[in-house]
Amino acid sequence: MHNFAYIRPTTLRDAAAQLGKEHGKVMLLAGGTDLLGEMKDDLRVPEKLVAIRQLRELQGIRPGRGGLRIGAATLLSDIAESAPVREQAPLLAMAAETVGTPQIRNMATIGGNLCQRPRCWYYRNNYPCFKHGGSVCYSVTGENEYHAILEGGPSYIVHPSDTAPALVALGATVRISTGGRERGVPIEKFFVGPRQDPARENILQPNEILTEIEVPSAPAGSKAVYVKEMVREVWDFALCSVAAMVTTSGGIVGDARIVLGGVAPFPYRALKAEAVLKGRRLDEAAAAAAGAAAVDGARPLSKNAYKVPLTQAVVTRALLSLA
Ligand SMILES: Cc1cc2nc3c(=O)[nH]c(=O)nc-3n(C[C@H](O)[C@H](O)[C@H](O)COP(=O)(O)OP(=O)(O)OC[C@H]3O[C@@H](n4cnc5c(N)ncnc54)[C@H](O)[C@@H]3O)c2cc1C
Ligand code: SF4
């Protein structure tokens, strides 16, 4: 690993004061489960690392009026086990529980989980593709078994986070700070697709820190589930996943939020599937119709067509489990 300065600030303001204006020179270090691996492989070569996991302002799960406020440096294991999260936003607890191994969840923070970089083999092996500032995507004609079937191009990564689809389904807001100025952004607008900028996955500027996630309580009458399909049974990234939340009244679906992971460069809101469900009884026919609508418009690459029926089946299965 190359040489770099290691800074351990005691306040958010001090941490922010260390940040610069250029991407990649000064980097935030949370649990390090993604970033340190990337530095070891020379994928990222920052001059300065600013540790933020210890910052009090970024810690904890605070129940508030209408929902929860979760500090960005809160560990995934704490989120998965938190009684308030299990009670008010069980979908998030379910998703956090599926991330990696217990060891990873005991190190990894929710902020880092949302900001982690893609797992594409070419990116991880430092090929000069779009993600490294180049102008080619090697996966199009190469290995693309695990890549995007929806919203791909010019990069075909899939967003690797399990908590992201759950937070989009829950309608969360992320809070972003420069140390002085703060802004709140609906999490759906936090992620950047490759057509907007193929080198990046989120809107964070080099001088910004993700500080908190506001998670509204799940609506009354709602049921939710997170289903994740992996190559191996456990400890793996999603081949495809679905975060589904359905609100019914008198047996009829009033609202549905269906968000897919592992199939698009960002958590993909399956709006057509949501529309299919609204005003209907959630039965086998409705779940199957929503499953089909979820993959409408899918454009698989040469080796990942299997993801289309897989995703359709996972959405159908998830919805049936809520019926
Ligand atoms: C073996 C293994 C299996 C895994 N399996 C899964 C899985 O199944 N599902 C899944 O979702 N993930 C999985 N992961 C990824 C893992 O969840 C992430 O590495 C982890 O969540 C990153 O969190 P961290 O706190 O360690 O972040 P770090 O590694 O410290 O940082 C990651 C990135 O986020 C940035 N960052 C961190 N915090 C902030 C902040 N507050 N504001 C702005 N930027 C920030 C850092 O600068 C860096 O760019 C796996 C990882 C490993 C190693
Ligand atoms: S999918 Fe994205 S990360 Fe992978 S080779 Fe193509 S541009 Fe690079």
Side-chain angles (χ1 to χ4, degrees):
M1 210 187 289
H2 66 285
N3 287 332
F4 56 86
Y6 177 77
I7 315 284
R8 205 166 183 278
T10 50
T11 64
L12 176 64
R13 195 174 273 271
D14 287 349
Q18 297 291 336
L19 300 177
K21 292 206 167 94
E22 230 177 291
H23 278 289
K25 285 209 165 162
V26 183
M27 301 203 67
L28 295 166
L29 176 72
T33 60
D34 189 34
L35 182 55
L36 292 181
E38 285 195 288
M39 288 172 61
K40 198 164 129 279
D41 292 338
D42 287 331
L43 300 181
R44 305 227 255 172
V45 284
E47 290 166 7
K48 207 195 284 180
L49 270 194
V50 181
I52 53 168
R53 198 176 121 185
Q54 74 289 350
L55 295 178
R56 282 237 315 274
E57 293 113 306
L58 303 189
Q59 299 287 337
I61 299 165
R62 291 172 287 281
R65 216 183 310 151
L68 299 167
R69 294 168 62 190
I70 302 178
T74 307
L75 297 179
L76 293 177
S77 52
D78 291 340
I79 291 170
E81 286 157 21
S82 153
V85 177
R86 285 174 172 267
E87 208 174 284
Q88 294 186 45
L91 185 55
L92 177 60
M94 280 183 247
E97 206 161 25
T98 72
V99 172
T101 61
Q103 288 86 342
I104 296 285
R105 296 195 290 276
N106 279 327
M107 288 291 292
T109 63
I110 182 115
N113 191 255
L114 297 176
C115 299
Q116 62 177 302
R117 300 306 311 270
R119 306 307 298 186
C120 173
W121 186 87
Y122 297 102
Y123 168 72
R124 294 278 160 174
N125 284 282
N126 228 338
Y127 278 62
C129 68
F130 286 111
K131 288 286 171 208
H132 288 297
S135 54
V136 63
C137 173
Y138 296 91
S139 73
V140 173
T141 52
E143 293 308 318
N144 53 43
E145 205 176 340
Y146 303 120
H147 287 68
I149 54 169
L150 288 155
E151 302 290 337
S155 163
Y156 286 84
I157 61 141
V158 294
H159 201 279
S161 166
D162 279 305
T163 61
L167 288 168
V168 173
L170 284 160
T173 297
V174 290
R175 298 214 68 84
I176 295 169
S177 172
T178 56
R181 259 179 309 112
E182 195 182 288
R183 59 184 174 133
V185 178
I187 193 162
E188 237 176 310
K189 298 211 158 72
F190 177 70
F191 298 101
V192 167
R195 285 171 211 159
Q196 198 177 333
D197 185 345
R200 299 171 53 196
E201 296 86 46
N202 62 57
I203 59 169
L204 284 178
Q205 295 301 313
N207 65 340
E208 291 185 319
I209 302 177
L210 175 58
T211 55
E212 193 174 68
I213 300 129
E214 294 172 347
V215 187
S217 299
S222 67
K223 281 190 189 175
V225 69
Y226 186 71
V227 179
K228 176 176 174 181
E229 199 65 33
M230 294 168 273
V231 176
R232 292 174 290 176
E233 285 282 293
V234 285
W235 303 353
D236 212 345
F237 290 90
L239 282 179
C240 85
S241 68
V242 57
M245 185 163 72
V246 175
T247 311
T248 52
S249 171
I252 302 298
V253 176
D255 192 26
R257 310 256 310 182
I258 300 172
V259 185
L260 308 181
V263 292
F266 46 84
Y268 175 81
R269 186 119 179 249
L271 293 169
K272 289 180 189 164
E274 294 178 2
V276 160
L277 289 181
K278 282 179 200 165
R280 274 177 89 161
R281 196 166 289 281
L282 181 51
D283 55 16
E284 259 180 55
V295 291
D296 190 23
R299 286 194 302 133
L301 297 163
S302 57
K303 296 181 182 169
N304 67 3
Y306 73 95
K307 279 196 179 189
V308 178
L310 179 69
T311 306
Q312 182 172 343
V314 171
V315 171
T316 306
R317 177 151 46 95
L319 292 171
L320 277 177
S321 76
L322 300 177

